[in-house]
Amino acid sequence: MKEYSYSQAIDFFKNMPHFIPPKGGGAKKDYFSLDAELMLLEKLDKPQNKLKYVHIAGTNGKGSTTSYLASILNEASVVTGAFTSPFLYRYNEMFKVNGEDISDVDFAEVFSEVKPAYDELAADGVFVSEYEFLTVMAFMYFLKKSCEIVLLEVSMGGRMDTTNVIPAPLVSIITPISYDHMTILGNTLTEIATEKAGIIKHGTAVVSATQEPEVQKVLRDTCKSVNAPLDFVEPAQIISRDIHGQRFGVSEGLQYETTMLGTYQIDNSAVAIAAARKLMEKGYHITGESIRKGIANTKWFGRFTLLSDNPPVVIDGGHNRQGAKVLRESLETYFPGKKITFVLGILADKEVDVIIDTLAPIMKKCYTVAVPNPRTMEPQVLAGMLQERGIEAEPLDSKNTIEDIKNQSDVVCLAGSLYLISLFDKA
């Protein structure tokens, strides 16, 4: 077997498409197929069938909920793998075992194990996409590390996501479902929910956040059709909060604390707690104390994260209509009556009008930036859209540094895309 270096593996991925939709007609969601990935897994002796899973789908809150559950399992000394996307700095971030990123050495080693099977398929005209290859690597890595549970976060949708090649997981989690990726998933909540509910398998315990009525119907119907018990988690009850943390209660009367900010985070916590209890029922030794410590110790940078507090500077990766809604709610909750100076960058294929219409009422001024992604909306175009709504806006340039903006503002919020985090995490 040829041994590839870490840099060779990374160069390989940089030249691959994220997804390879087959040629065809009809809706874009019908273009996708998991056939190539399944063929690759077949050549590698089906590693996905040798692990136990919690599968996480939804529009918003997947990463935070996964982090909460991973932290709980870590406190319970359960060897836990987590496969998440997107990465912000390095591919290694997508693969974690007990909270630690995969090493460069392990990355190269697992890549070298998968690459020969990939080459065999390619020689026959079957091509696997970047995310399919990475997902297969995740199975191989977590098997190598003897993970007792693997947390799989869906990248997009669910039914045809690269993670949806696994057998029935122990638990399926559905975080809040809203509008996103409509060109692929559909234009209605029912269509989008149907795609995301595609991860639900026979007999799997399903835990869902509170959902819109049409989403609830899809989830209930899907679970009934495959005999999967479904629990909707009641919203958590806030007890106290300030800019440094929150205390909340869940339906059973138990109280927890989290340093994660954002009004939505206590509900993400409640969903993770409910999933942990399902795992307890399945025999995993998870105690109430490990749940409490896990919630308290969870960190997830970029989700209403306070970068500094004089003046307050918040960074948030919200990138769709629901993300903008809860971001505004959080800003209004933590900084009542304040007008916010925004540094905003948005991908052009998002609901840009909806996002800025949601945030505009609390904007004092907005500086626009390019997202470090080819799909970015040009800062000048975004500034023009804000100006049309009566917002003072201009592209961020060398004459307006973050430090300058902080000196002129009561509160600063950096928002619009997860990809912005890599630019401003030192703000």
Side-chain angles (χ1 to χ4, degrees):
M1 180 182 77
K2 179 179 178 179
E3 293 185 1
Y4 291 84
S5 68
Y6 177 76
S7 61
Q8 286 174 321
I10 297 303
D11 287 343
F12 174 81
F13 285 124
K14 286 181 177 178
N15 292 306
M16 292 183 78
H18 283 333
F19 306 100
I20 303 177
K23 295 178 180 179
K28 283 190 177 180
K29 65 185 177 183
D30 296 324
Y31 288 7
F32 293 91
S33 166
L34 298 176
D35 292 347
E37 182 183 355
L38 288 167
M39 292 170 69
L40 181 59
L41 289 164
E42 179 79 29
K43 285 183 174 293
L44 295 165
D45 197 26
K46 301 181 180 179
Q48 79 277 19
N49 292 342
K50 303 171 186 177
L51 295 160
K52 302 293 185 183
Y53 302 94
V54 175
H55 207 177
I56 303 102
T59 303
N60 292 305
K62 296 191 298 293
S64 297
T65 303
T66 300
S67 292
Y68 277 121
L69 186 53
S71 183
I72 290 169
L73 293 170
N74 185 58
E75 292 294 335
S77 299
V78 177
V79 182
T80 304
F83 181 63
T84 61
S85 61
F87 67 88
L88 302 178
Y89 304 97
R90 307 177 77 224
Y91 279 86
N92 305 53
E93 298 164 38
M94 300 176 71
F95 311 80
K96 287 182 169 62
V97 173
N98 293 341
E100 297 293 326
D101 292 354
I102 187 173
S103 69
D104 292 359
V105 170
D106 281 340
F107 191 101
E109 183 176 308
V110 177
F111 176 85
S112 298
E113 292 172 358
V114 177
K115 184 62 161 53
Y118 169 89
D119 290 338
E120 288 179 16
L121 288 176
D124 291 334
V126 177
F127 295 97
V128 174
S129 70
E130 176 194 26
Y131 267 49
E132 289 173 317
F133 197 121
L134 289 164
T135 304
V136 172
M137 280 181 60
F139 298 136
M140 299 287 284
Y141 178 60
F142 297 140
L143 193 58
K144 174 182 176 181
K145 290 295 185 178
S146 301
C147 291
E148 297 171 81
I149 294 179
V150 172
L151 310 182
L152 279 185
E153 178 190 341
V154 167
S155 173
M156 181 177 64
R159 180 179 66 92
M160 298 305 295
D161 186 73
T162 62
T163 61
N164 202 30
V165 291
I166 60 173
L170 300 166
V171 181
S172 292
I173 296 175
I174 309 294
T175 67
I177 291 176
S178 183
Y179 293 91
D180 202 6
H181 300 297
M182 282 94 77
T183 56
I184 294 173
L185 302 182
N187 293 314
T188 68
L189 280 182
T190 295
E191 290 177 313
I192 294 169
T194 298
E195 289 297 308
K196 294 182 184 292
I199 71 164
I200 298 172
K201 296 176 174 63
H202 175 74
T204 300
V206 181
V207 172
S208 173
T210 301
Q211 305 285 358
E212 295 293 333
E214 53 265 61
V215 175
Q216 286 191 35
K217 184 178 186 309
V218 170
L219 296 182
R220 291 186 194 279
D221 289 348
T222 302
C223 287
K224 183 178 180 180
S225 70
V226 296
N227 192 29
L230 169 65
D231 290 321
F232 286 103
V233 179
E234 293 183 16
Q237 301 303 309
I238 184 67
I239 296 171
S240 63
R241 67 162 48 108
D242 60 30
I243 200 61
H244 299 291
Q246 310 185 75
R247 186 174 181 84
F248 63 96
V250 296
S251 57
E252 293 80 2
L254 299 174
Q255 295 184 8
Y256 301 91
E257 293 182 357
T258 177
T259 57
M260 300 264 279
L261 304 180
T263 55
Y264 50 89
Q265 287 295 8
I266 61 173
D267 291 333
N268 291 335
S269 299
V271 171
I273 291 167
R277 289 179 179 157
K278 291 295 182 185
L279 293 174
M280 291 170 65
E281 293 172 6
K282 293 178 181 293
Y284 288 87
H285 185 65
I286 302 169
T287 65
E289 183 66 5
S290 59
I291 293 176
R292 185 189 67 78
K293 286 185 176 180
I295 295 298
N297 293 334
T298 301
K299 308 292 183 187
W300 190 236
F301 188 86
R303 278 63 173 183
F304 207 83
T305 301
L306 185 69
L307 298 178
S308 62
D309 54 12
N310 187 28
V313 179
V314 172
I315 187 166
D316 187 87
H319 55 277
N320 49 44
R321 66 168 67 187
Q322 189 179 49
K325 177 176 179 290
V326 296
L327 171 58
R328 176 176 167 179
E329 289 174 355
S330 295
L331 288 167
E332 290 176 327
T333 297
Y334 286 100
F335 311 109
K338 298 283 189 182
K339 286 286 189 178
I340 314 297
T341 300
F342 276 84
V343 178
L344 196 64
I346 306 176
L347 297 179
D349 56 3
K350 298 296 182 179
E351 291 186 290
V352 181
D353 285 298
V354 174
I355 292 170
I356 61 179
D357 284 341
T358 300
L359 298 176
I362 61 171
M363 284 186 180
K364 176 183 179 181
K365 183 174 181 178
C366 187
Y367 295 90
T368 57
V369 296
V371 178
N373 185 289
R375 293 149 51 206
T376 188
M377 170 162 278
E378 291 301 319
Q380 191 65 54
V381 175
L382 182 56
M385 294 177 68
L386 288 157
Q387 292 164 2
E388 291 172 358
R389 290 161 169 81
I391 303 295
E392 184 181 356
E394 62 181 276
L396 184 67
D397 57 30
S398 59
K399 295 179 292 185
N400 298 302
T401 67
I402 294 296
E403 284 302 316
D404 292 334
I405 293 170
K406 288 165 65 174
N407 292 335
Q408 301 164 13
S409 308
D410 294 327
V411 181
V412 179
C413 181
L414 316 170
S417 173
L418 287 170
Y419 293 103
L420 287 179
I421 295 171
S422 62
L423 296 181
F424 295 116
D425 62 354
K426 303 289 191 277

